């Protein structure tokens, strides 16, 4: 018992000293801006802001874990004072010495050890952050502006990627991101150059780069439709 008490007291001194030296992992400061010396995030790269937020979240988790460890130590020391140390708080059965030696802070037997609890504490900065255009709305039958679209919207202003970092063929340096060729505002390529009137009639073709690429693909495949091959009476006149 005396050996375990000394171990607990030593752990307590170390934890108290650690929290004092690092100001509770820097959380005494009111905002992450104070810890990084920034007045605003508006001029920061999104990756830098993300790194700072991650570090803040990590500090919260470490601080919470350390405070819980300190609480368990004090609880075990109090149990020693009360003469209940080594007895499970739930079932009242003796806790094996091997378990106390491995985890001197425990006051529960193995069978009644509290389940791990996932922390719900979040950085205060998240309370003022929101996705672009408010909350993301997801519809099963409609294509909406989602998180991926948000990244592509920002990536158009430039990233640190180079042509060797992107698997797809790229033409411009402002398209150095995944799925840079994804269509915006439409689904099928022909929607960028084909149009009809309000009644769906009077199809008009507006030549552009996408139209040329579309026709080139069909020519290479000797098809009249990207949906697949066509009957001979439609395909033969075209290919001939």
């Amino acid at each position: 018992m005396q050996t375990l008490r000394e171990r607990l007291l030593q752990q307590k001194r170390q934890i108290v000293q650690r929290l004092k030296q690092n100001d509770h992992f820097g959380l005494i400061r009111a905002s992450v801006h104070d810890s990084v010396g920034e007045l605003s995030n508006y001029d920061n790269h999104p990756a830098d802001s993300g790194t700072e937020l991650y570090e803040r979240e990590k500090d919260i988790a470490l601080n919470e874990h350390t405070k819980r460890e300190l609480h368990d130590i004090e609880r075990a020391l109090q149990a020693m004072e009360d003469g209940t140390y080594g007895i499970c708080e739930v079932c009242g059965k003796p806790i094996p010495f091997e378990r106390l030696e491995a985890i001197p802070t425990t006051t529960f037997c193995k069978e009644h050890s509290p389940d791990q609890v996932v922390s719900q504490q979040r950085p205060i900065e998240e309370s003022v952050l929101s996705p672009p255009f408010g909350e993301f709305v997801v519809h099963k039958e409609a294509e909406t502006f989602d998180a991926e679209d948000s990244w592509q919207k920002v990536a158009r202003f430039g990233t640190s990627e180079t042509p060797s970092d992107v698997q797809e063929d790229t033409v411009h340096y402002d398209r150095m991101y995944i799925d840079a060729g994804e269509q915006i505002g439409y689904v099928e390529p022909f929607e960028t150059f084909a149009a009809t009137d309000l009644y769906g009639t009077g199809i008009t073709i507006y030549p552009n780069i996408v139209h040329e690429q579309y026709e080139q693909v069909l020519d290479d495949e000797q098809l009249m439709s990207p949906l697949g091959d066509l009957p001979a009476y439609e395909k033969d006149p075209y290919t001939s």
Side-chain angles (χ1 to χ4, degrees), residues 15-25 63 66 70:
I15 291 177
V16 172
Q17 183 67 18
R18 189 191 316 154
L19 292 176
K20 182 179 179 180
Q21 290 178 347
N22 59 27
D23 291 335
H24 287 259
F25 295 90
N63 184 66
T66 305
L70 181 60

Side-chain angles (χ1 to χ4, degrees), residues 91-136:
C91 63
K93 295 181 179 180
I95 302 174
F97 177 75
E98 291 78 10
R99 175 170 172 79
L100 293 174
E101 189 176 23
I103 314 175
T105 58
T106 186
T107 54
F108 299 92
C109 64
K110 179 180 178 180
E111 290 73 16
H112 296 99
S113 179
D115 295 333
Q116 294 185 3
V117 179
V118 178
S119 173
Q120 299 299 321
Q121 295 190 25
R122 306 298 300 172
I124 191 173
E125 289 78 17
E126 290 189 357
S127 62
V128 296
L129 296 178
S130 60
F133 310 109
E135 297 295 331
F136 287 131

Side-chain angles (χ1 to χ4, degrees), residues 2-228:
Q2 185 62 28
T3 302
L4 295 178
R5 185 193 302 273
E6 289 298 329
R7 286 181 56 187
L8 290 172
L9 290 175
Q10 182 180 5
Q11 291 180 18
K12 180 179 180 180
R13 288 192 294 267
Q14 292 175 348
I15 291 177
V16 172
Q17 183 67 18
R18 189 191 316 154
L19 292 176
K20 182 179 179 180
Q21 290 178 347
N22 59 27
D23 291 335
H24 287 259
F25 295 90
L27 296 178
I28 293 181
R29 300 180 179 89
S31 172
V32 67
H33 301 304
D34 298 332
S35 62
V36 297
E38 294 283 352
L39 298 177
S40 172
N41 275 338
Y42 287 111
D43 60 341
N44 285 2
H45 192 282
D48 294 333
S49 299
T51 300
E52 294 170 4
L53 183 59
Y54 162 74
E55 292 295 336
R56 192 69 164 180
E57 293 171 337
K58 185 178 67 175
D59 291 338
I60 289 178
L62 291 173
N63 184 66
E64 182 179 349
H65 175 79
T66 305
K67 291 176 64 177
R68 182 180 182 86
E69 185 179 3
L70 181 60
H71 174 268
D72 291 342
I73 292 174
E74 294 175 342
R75 189 170 184 170
L77 290 173
Q78 185 61 45
M80 289 182 177
E81 296 294 331
D82 298 338
T84 59
Y85 184 76
I87 300 176
C88 179
E89 293 187 12
V90 178
C91 63
K93 295 181 179 180
I95 302 174
F97 177 75
E98 291 78 10
R99 175 170 172 79
L100 293 174
E101 189 176 23
I103 314 175
T105 58
T106 186
T107 54
F108 299 92
C109 64
K110 179 180 178 180
E111 290 73 16
H112 296 99
S113 179
D115 295 333
Q116 294 185 3
V117 179
V118 178
S119 173
Q120 299 299 321
Q121 295 190 25
R122 306 298 300 172
I124 191 173
E125 289 78 17
E126 290 189 357
S127 62
V128 296
L129 296 178
S130 60
F133 310 109
E135 297 295 331
F136 287 131
V137 180
V138 179
H139 300 284
K140 295 182 179 180
E141 299 180 358
E143 184 177 353
T144 59
F145 194 94
D146 57 15
E148 182 182 1
D149 296 321
S150 298
W151 159 246
Q152 293 175 348
K153 195 76 172 178
V154 175
R156 292 188 183 95
F157 291 93
T159 68
S160 60
E161 304 289 353
T162 65
S164 61
D165 299 319
V166 183
Q167 296 180 356
E168 304 172 1
D169 294 333
T170 56
V171 179
H172 304 287
Y173 264 89
D174 59 353
R175 300 178 71 84
M176 295 294 156
Y177 54 91
I178 299 176
D179 294 333
E182 183 176 304
Q183 316 302 338
I184 302 175
Y186 56 91
V187 179
E188 299 294 341
F190 62 79
E191 295 182 70
T192 63
F193 55 80
T196 64
D197 57 21
L198 293 176
Y199 303 98
T201 59
I203 299 177
T204 303
I205 301 298
Y206 298 92
N208 55 26
I209 297 178
V210 179
H211 177 241
E212 295 177 1
Q213 295 174 345
Y214 187 81
E215 286 192 336
Q216 185 62 44
V217 171
L218 295 181
D219 290 340
D220 293 341
E221 299 295 334
Q222 295 187 347
L223 298 175
M224 292 184 63
S225 169
L227 300 179

